Amino acid sequence: MKTKTYSGKSNTHHKKLWNNLFYSLKTKLTEYSQTNGEEKVIFLDVDGVLNYDCSTEDLDDFCLAELKKIVLETKAKLVLTSSWKFYFLRDDDNATKRYMTERLAEYNLALYDIAPDLGSGRRADEIKLWLKEHPSFGSYVILDDCFFPGFKEMKRHLCLTDWNRNGLTAEHSKKAIRILNGIYLSSRI
C-alpha cells in the first residue's frame, strides 16, 4: 500500500524525482570535471600514507593498492611532497629512490613530478608553488599524515591519514576520489 503525501503523490514518486535530480547533478559535475581541461593531481606524502607505525622503510601493499584505486578512478598524476623527495632530487641512483620507483611500478604507478623544496615545514607553500607553475592542474588532493602550517586554507583538499592507524585506508581513498572528482565543490587556491 502506497502512502500519500500532502500533494497527493506517493513517497516513491518523490524519491524517484530526488534520485533523478541527484543523478543529473552528479553526471553534470563529472562531465564538467572531464571537459573543462583541468588535470588532477595527488600530492603524496610517504611516511604515514604508504607505510605506518612499524616502518619508515617499507611501503605497505594495502596502502599502495588504495593509492592505485584513487589513480584508476580519477586519472590523477602523482607529485611527491614527502621528505622522500630528497632521494629523488639527488643525482645518484640511490637505493631508496630505486626501491620506491620499483614498488610503485608493481602497481603500475609512477611519479609525475617532485614538489619544490622550500624548507622544512613549508609543504603547503610547496604545493601552492607547484600549482602556480602547473596551471593545467585544477583538481587536487593532499594525502598526508601531518597537518602542516598553511593546510588550514587548503583543508577541503586534504585527506589526512593516520601514522598509527594503517596509513592510507579504503575510507581515505574514497574521500580522495570524491575530492578529485569534484564531489566536494572546491576551487583552486
Side-chain angles (χ1 to χ4, degrees):
M1 178 176 170
K2 290 185 180 179
T3 54
K4 297 286 183 180
T5 62
Y6 64 89
S7 66
K9 300 280 185 182
S10 69
N11 284 334
T12 305
H13 175 76
H14 287 283
K15 190 182 256 185
K16 283 182 184 178
L17 286 174
W18 278 111
N19 284 340
N20 288 341
L21 178 64
F22 176 75
Y23 178 78
S24 176
L25 179 59
K26 183 177 176 185
T27 301
K28 291 294 179 194
L29 284 171
T30 302
E31 288 171 1
Y32 174 77
S33 72
Q34 291 173 348
T35 60
N36 68 2
E38 289 185 343
E39 295 184 77
K40 299 173 184 179
V41 62
I42 299 167
F43 291 104
L44 181 66
D45 182 28
V46 175
D47 295 326
V49 177
L50 297 182
N51 60 27
Y52 54 95
D53 111 306
C54 57
S55 173
T56 59
E57 297 172 4
D58 295 321
L59 301 184
D60 182 77
D61 286 311
F62 182 80
C63 298
L64 285 165
E66 290 301 318
L67 180 62
K68 175 67 175 182
K69 186 189 314 180
I70 298 167
V71 170
L72 280 175
E73 292 197 31
T74 65
K75 309 289 188 261
K77 308 273 197 270
L78 298 175
V79 174
L80 189 63
T81 57
S82 170
S83 60
W84 284 48
K85 69 184 170 188
F86 297 110
Y87 295 106
F88 286 84
L89 295 173
R90 291 174 27 187
D91 289 332
D92 65 341
D93 185 32
N94 60 77
T96 303
K97 181 180 178 178
R98 272 193 319 276
Y99 170 74
M100 183 171 182
T101 302
E102 290 168 4
R103 288 293 281 145
L104 288 172
E106 289 174 25
Y107 290 84
N108 294 317
L109 297 169
L111 294 176
Y112 176 78
D113 202 0
I114 311 296
D117 174 36
L118 298 178
S120 180
R122 299 198 50 206
R123 196 163 290 176
D125 292 333
E126 293 169 352
I127 291 169
K128 289 176 190 175
L129 178 59
W130 192 94
L131 286 168
K132 184 177 180 182
E133 292 174 350
H134 299 83
S136 65
F137 289 85
S139 178
Y140 69 95
V141 68
I142 303 164
L143 298 179
D144 211 308
D145 69 322
C146 293
F147 196 89
F148 283 93
F151 275 0
K152 184 175 182 179
E153 65 188 67
M154 305 165 89
K155 192 173 182 177
R156 73 180 120 222
H157 299 278
L158 182 63
C159 187
L160 199 60
T161 61
D162 190 336
W163 167 258
N164 296 311
R165 292 199 173 147
N166 303 324
L168 184 63
T169 64
E171 181 180 318
H172 296 120
S173 64
K174 287 176 189 172
K175 180 179 180 182
I177 291 165
R178 287 192 309 263
I179 292 169
L180 286 166
N181 285 338
I183 303 303
Y184 294 139
L185 298 176
S186 58
S187 60
R188 285 182 58 88
I189 307 169

